[in-house]
Amino acid sequence: MVEAGSSMMPADVAAEPDVVLFAVPKKGRLHQDVMKLLNGAGLDAKRPDRLDVAMCNDVPVKLVFLPAADIPSYVMEGNVDVGISGSDMLEEAIIEDQDGAANVKVLQHLGFGKCKLCLEAPVAAQANGKPEAFAGKRIVTSFPGLARRYFKKFDEERGVSTHIKVVSGSVEAACQLGLADAVVDLVETGTTMKAAGLEVVSQIFESEALLFQQLHNGKETERTTKAETIEVIIKRIGGYLTAMRYMMLIYNCHVSMLEACTKITPGKRSPTITKLQDDGWHAVSVLVEKGRSNATMDALAKAGAQDVLCIPILNTRM
């Protein structure tokens, strides 16, 4: 299938029985976010100049750098074992290749790369904000499958056929150039959209980065060295994502204040409480969400806790 960017697999990628081929975006903001994730999760690799493959340092994993739009197809077709791309690109690939839908399984939602796929139109042609008003008209997009699926209901209701034209970039310019009446494009901050004189008519799909796996005949990889390595990948990435979400709080408190303080800090499962040599005093360590760490420290100090420390976490295994 692989048609989105019509990219070729790097010539120096050879299938090895015990080496997991891991497809990652080769450029752009998503590439930067993914590499930060992999480095933090201990899946770092040194990428040689001018090569689109790199072997991870301490696990049998080979990173394959590909256009993000092509990664879902390569995973579904079994050219690579696992990959990271946007859920919008995965959904588009599934729509365009129904036979491949059963050959991919989402392993983790990664929490970054969030954006929305929207129907956008010039401010003067908003049609009272009704998306069905654009059925039967010219729509330019890089996501033809998602656009067709979205307009299918409107087309059937109105007895028309929406004209979907595919372009690979600068979608937002299509209306100004007279190529489209509206566009279906990704919106992150909305800056580019507004600069092109467009506004959102409706949201079609909400996207974020995903880790997904290739299945063999609809089944997961059998218990092999490669399957065990994929489990290591999942645990390492999950551990790093948890570490990025939480901080470790450590504090001392008297037994008379212990109940009040632990109510403030119930922890992810429960706080760890250790008796100190000073009579009646305890040390408490607990995970708290990063966004609440300062407010939690304030509440602990007010409740009588002392020596409150907030420590960043590099990685975890939960």
Side-chain angles (χ1 to χ4, degrees), residues 26 33 37 41 73 89 107 144 152 183 202 221 224 253 260 282 309:
K26 68 185 299 182
D33 290 341
L37 169 71
S73 296
M89 297 173 188
L107 301 174
K152 182 179 179 181
V183 300
S202 64
T221 307
T224 61
C253 71
H282 295 75
L309 304 176

Side-chain angles (χ1 to χ4, degrees), residues 162-183:
T162 300
H163 306 285
I164 308 293
K165 182 177 178 60
V166 183
V167 299
S168 59
S170 300
V171 174
E172 69 283 347
C175 291
Q176 290 179 324
L177 295 173
L179 297 175
D181 299 299
V183 300

Side-chain angles (χ1 to χ4, degrees), residues 5-318:
S6 300
S7 66
M8 300 287 290
M9 279 282 283
D12 43 1
V13 176
E16 301 173 56
D18 296 333
V19 175
V20 171
L21 295 181
F22 190 165
V24 296
K26 68 185 299 182
K27 61 183 180 179
R29 174 68 179 273
L30 193 56
H31 166 79
Q32 295 172 8
D33 290 341
V34 169
M35 296 316 296
K36 180 180 178 182
L37 169 71
L38 297 183
N39 289 334
L43 296 167
D44 49 313
K46 185 173 176 58
R47 182 181 178 184
D49 292 340
R50 301 179 182 276
L51 290 182
D52 285 333
V53 295
M55 196 73 189
C56 289
N57 292 327
D58 69 343
V59 284
V61 175
K62 184 178 288 186
L63 302 183
V64 184
F65 297 88
L66 295 167
D70 294 342
I71 289 174
S73 296
Y74 279 115
V75 172
M76 288 192 294
E77 292 183 6
N79 302 111
V80 294
D81 302 297
V82 293
I84 292 177
S85 190
S87 55
D88 53 342
M89 297 173 188
L90 177 59
E91 189 71 11
E92 178 71 20
I94 289 172
I95 292 171
E96 292 296 299
D97 179 24
Q98 289 296 333
D99 292 336
N103 292 328
V104 64
K105 175 185 177 182
V106 174
L107 301 174
Q108 283 174 319
H109 293 254
L110 302 179
F112 57 79
K114 293 185 177 182
C115 56
K116 297 174 181 178
L117 186 68
C118 298
L119 173 64
E120 307 165 23
V123 177
Q126 278 291 311
N128 298 318
K130 294 181 179 179
E132 59 268 28
F134 292 94
K137 295 191 176 182
R138 300 170 302 158
I139 307 296
V140 164
T141 185
S142 298
F143 295 88
L146 285 164
R148 278 192 224 101
R149 186 174 73 180
Y150 180 73
F151 277 101
K152 182 179 179 181
K153 180 179 71 172
F154 300 140
D155 286 355
E156 291 173 349
E157 289 174 352
R158 297 194 165 208
V160 297
S161 178
T162 300
H163 306 285
I164 308 293
K165 182 177 178 60
V166 183
V167 299
S168 59
S170 300
V171 174
E172 69 283 347
C175 291
Q176 290 179 324
L177 295 173
L179 297 175
D181 299 299
V183 300
V184 171
D185 198 15
L186 293 173
V187 178
E188 189 171 355
T189 64
T191 303
T192 303
M193 174 186 69
K194 290 175 182 176
L198 304 175
E199 283 191 354
V200 172
V201 178
S202 64
Q203 180 180 315
I204 295 175
F205 191 84
E206 195 162 356
S207 181
E208 71 170 308
L210 302 176
L211 171 69
F212 44 92
Q213 174 185 6
Q214 190 261 344
L215 302 179
H216 297 278
N217 299 319
K219 298 180 180 179
E220 295 185 32
T221 307
E222 296 179 2
R223 303 307 303 170
T224 61
T225 300
K226 185 178 283 192
E228 291 173 0
T229 301
I230 291 173
E231 285 190 6
V232 170
I233 291 171
I234 295 168
K235 288 178 181 177
R236 288 194 180 191
I237 289 178
Y240 178 72
L241 292 175
T242 299
M244 293 300 96
R245 183 181 172 189
Y246 290 94
M247 305 280 284
M248 178 67 74
L249 273 188
I250 301 174
Y251 60 89
N252 297 330
C253 71
H254 192 267
V255 66
S256 61
M257 307 163 188
L258 186 59
E259 184 177 354
C261 287
T262 53
K263 280 184 178 179
I264 296 169
T265 56
K268 196 170 185 292
R269 184 173 291 120
S270 66
T272 300
I273 302 171
T274 307
K275 282 188 176 182
L276 299 179
Q277 287 187 336
D278 287 356
D279 190 36
W281 283 85
H282 295 75
V284 180
S285 57
V286 63
L287 289 178
V288 297
E289 290 190 11
K290 276 186 177 180
R292 295 185 52 81
S293 59
N294 283 300
T296 302
M297 293 173 75
D298 294 338
L300 285 172
K302 188 175 181 179
Q306 297 182 14
D307 311 317
V308 183
L309 304 176
C310 186
I311 303 170
I313 305 169
L314 294 179
N315 213 322
T316 68
R317 294 294 183 275
M318 295 293 185

